[in-house]
Amino acid sequence: MALYVMKFGGSSVGDVERMQRVAKRIIEKQDEGHQCVVVVSAMGDTTDDLIDQALMLNPNPSAREMDMLMTTGEQISVAMLSIAIQYQGRESVSFTGWQAGFETEAEHGRARIRNIRPERVLKALGAGQIVVVAGFQGITADGEITTFGRGGSDTTAVALAAAINADVCEIYTDVDGIYSTDPRIVKCARKLKEISYDEMLELANLGAAVLHPRAVEYAKHNNVRLVVRSSFTYNEGTLVKEEATMEQGAVVSGIAYDKNVARITIRGVNDIPGVLAKMFSELATAKIDVDIIVQSGVMDGKADFSFTVNLEERERALQVIAAIRGELPYEEVTSETDLVKVSIVGAGMVSHPGVAAQMFEAISSQSVSIKMVSTSEIKVSCVIEAGRLNDVVTALHTAYGLDTEEQAFVGGPQDRR
């Protein structure tokens, strides 16, 4: 007998028919002799619909009330799935995030987990029940409901797997594993048998939507056996592990992109010590994450520099910069939004010179200019204009020899066994 944590995303439980299929999948796992804890996201587009309705009522709702609202989507899912499991003749119980023991910091909309007390989960397992837990949510020490941010159900699943010492944490989604790039763009993308935590963390942070970055962090820190697979097929998924076997000749493992990018440029800043420290300290205090930073040459004692932020944080970043102009004078500030960050990731890059040059050449071949570049040992990122994204990703995929003859499977109404 093994203990499984099985996480199903919103597309997997998007309607009653899919909910019934997921219930059947869970029961099959139990019939194999395993214990099952299931983590579920909100059904389909429920969260987006709730947000849209809230904005119709108030274009600037409080973060606390939005957390109160958005957690209801997952609560509907867990109750519905538990009802479906019970109808198929098995004992099941559903828990909210706080009932399952998730205690978080007091940060609405982006809370981090502080502690997990899974006693109720373990007790229900001991009683032979299938446990269904609402993802994406927890509660503070003083009783405030919080959410983990988009994709936070992955984090719920991996953190819970670590807390209850699960043997495997399976993330079920609408693709049957982790691919070399988005199979919706490149149909001949390569499915990876395995990938290292570090490579997956880079891909997740760089925009690959298959796993939430914090989930990968938890898995790496707690050595959780993590598998990504499809809820629509029985195909073998992708194993995320400490060290992955590099496919022969594959210097680059994956290509990711992030459309939520804005570039802010500040011109005419005094080139004196402490200027950048002050500027980015203020942005950090406002909890605005800054990504790529580029400073130009100095002329007449003044410098220009640019940096990228999440598109949703552009306005707040501009407000922070405007507020400190009295302390840190500058000539002007501008911003751009129609941008995308494209990245290549691979553990083999560290020992292969010329990988970045090959990326620049592939992008240039599509008549696309590169605006900013960032590198590390296992990744290179370029900020480009968004209009030619699909062409650039396809060109990069071909340039690094990642194309296959097989067609990627994405979603579908029927199980393929």
Side-chain angles (χ1 to χ4, degrees):
M1 177 186 290
L3 174 54
Y4 277 76
V5 172
M6 307 168 70
K7 182 264 176 177
F8 293 89
S11 61
S12 299
V13 293
D15 54 38
V16 170
E17 182 182 352
R18 292 187 178 191
M19 192 80 72
Q20 291 170 330
R21 188 179 300 113
V22 166
K24 177 176 177 286
R25 189 80 177 249
I26 296 162
I27 290 170
E28 288 173 351
K29 184 76 71 176
Q30 190 183 56
D31 285 343
E32 294 171 3
H34 306 304
Q35 293 179 302
C36 300
V37 176
V38 184
V39 174
V40 186
S41 299
M43 295 174 63
D45 296 325
T46 299
T47 301
D48 289 334
D49 292 341
L50 290 172
I51 292 172
D52 289 343
Q53 291 177 55
L55 294 177
M56 289 173 65
L57 295 169
N58 181 349
N60 189 30
S62 71
R64 180 191 184 277
E65 298 309 325
M66 289 302 290
D67 275 1
M68 286 287 287
L69 176 66
M70 288 191 292
T71 51
T72 62
E74 278 70 19
Q75 292 179 51
I76 292 170
S77 289
V78 294
M80 295 275 281
L81 182 56
S82 189
I83 289 168
I85 292 169
Q86 290 169 2
Y87 181 73
Q88 296 187 33
R90 302 302 167 92
E91 292 188 25
S92 176
V93 61
S94 64
F95 293 137
T96 63
W98 43 96
Q99 288 175 320
F102 281 82
E103 181 183 324
T104 75
E105 63 185 16
E107 184 69 35
H108 289 292
R110 56 169 69 183
R112 288 184 173 270
I113 300 166
R114 300 184 66 175
N115 192 21
I116 305 175
R117 297 184 175 88
E119 289 81 7
R120 293 188 70 178
V121 173
L122 294 171
K123 183 178 179 180
L125 283 172
Q129 294 178 307
I130 294 171
V131 181
V132 186
V133 177
F136 169 71
Q137 60 185 248
I139 197 166
T140 67
D142 58 357
E144 288 294 316
I145 294 173
T146 56
T147 63
F148 304 160
R150 278 303 178 94
S153 292
D154 289 350
T155 305
T156 298
V158 177
L160 187 56
I164 64 177
N165 295 314
D167 297 284
V168 186
C169 179
E170 294 183 327
I171 305 294
Y172 289 82
T173 181
D174 59 352
V175 293
D176 59 357
I178 297 166
Y179 281 82
S180 50
T181 194
D182 187 347
R184 298 167 184 82
I185 291 179
V186 181
K187 298 299 182 183
C188 59
R190 181 190 302 265
K191 191 174 83 170
L192 307 177
K193 291 183 178 180
E194 56 186 40
I195 188 171
S196 70
Y197 291 128
D198 288 338
E199 288 175 307
M200 189 64 244
L201 185 57
E202 284 282 15
L203 286 170
N205 277 317
L206 293 168
V210 68
L211 278 175
H212 193 273
R214 272 190 275 169
V216 184
E217 289 177 359
Y218 266 103
K220 177 178 171 62
H221 181 72
N222 295 284
N223 198 28
V224 173
R225 184 177 177 83
L226 184 59
V227 177
V228 177
R229 60 190 311 177
S230 173
S231 60
F232 300 103
T233 77
Y234 287 82
N235 296 340
E236 184 178 351
T238 301
L239 174 63
V240 186
K241 55 189 288 191
E242 184 59 44
E243 294 294 337
T245 302
M246 191 185 309
E247 294 189 34
Q248 188 172 2
V251 176
V252 172
S253 299
I255 300 166
Y257 62 88
D258 184 359
K259 295 181 178 180
N260 296 313
V261 176
R263 179 167 77 160
I264 295 175
T265 300
I266 305 176
R267 296 187 174 87
V269 180
N270 291 329
D271 184 41
I272 56 177
V275 170
L276 292 183
K278 174 64 176 175
M279 179 72 70
F280 291 107
S281 292
E282 293 293 331
L283 290 167
T285 299
K287 297 188 181 299
I288 296 172
D289 293 325
V290 174
D291 187 14
I292 303 174
I293 304 172
V294 175
Q295 179 173 335
S296 65
V298 179
M299 182 176 295
D300 297 328
K302 297 191 180 290
D304 303 338
F305 64 91
S306 300
F307 59 91
T308 59
V309 297
N310 189 287
L311 185 60
E312 296 175 354
E313 296 183 332
R314 179 180 71 100
E315 288 299 328
R316 287 204 305 124
L318 291 172
Q319 291 171 9
V320 170
I321 294 166
I324 60 174
R325 189 170 190 176
E327 301 176 61
L328 298 175
Y330 54 82
E331 293 176 2
E332 68 169 344
V333 59
T334 60
S335 66
E336 299 172 75
T337 57
D338 192 22
L339 303 172
V340 63
K341 180 173 67 176
V342 180
S343 308
I344 58 172
V345 174
M349 290 169 54
V350 66
S351 58
H352 286 76
V355 176
Q358 191 175 4
M359 182 181 191
F360 303 153
E361 183 177 346
I363 295 174
S364 174
S365 72
Q366 301 303 307
S367 301
V368 174
S369 299
I370 298 172
K371 294 178 175 287
M372 304 176 81
V373 177
S374 174
T375 66
S376 74
E377 287 187 341
I378 66 170
K379 66 98 173 173
V380 181
S381 296
C382 296
V383 176
I384 62 175
E385 292 183 357
R388 298 290 303 281
L389 170 64
N390 290 10
D391 294 333
V392 168
V393 170
T394 301
L396 288 169
H397 200 267
T398 300
Y400 291 108
L402 296 174
D403 294 349
T404 67
E405 294 182 0
E406 299 179 6
Q407 292 289 299
F409 174 75
V410 181
Q414 301 293 327
D415 287 337
R416 299 181 181 179
R417 192 163 192 170

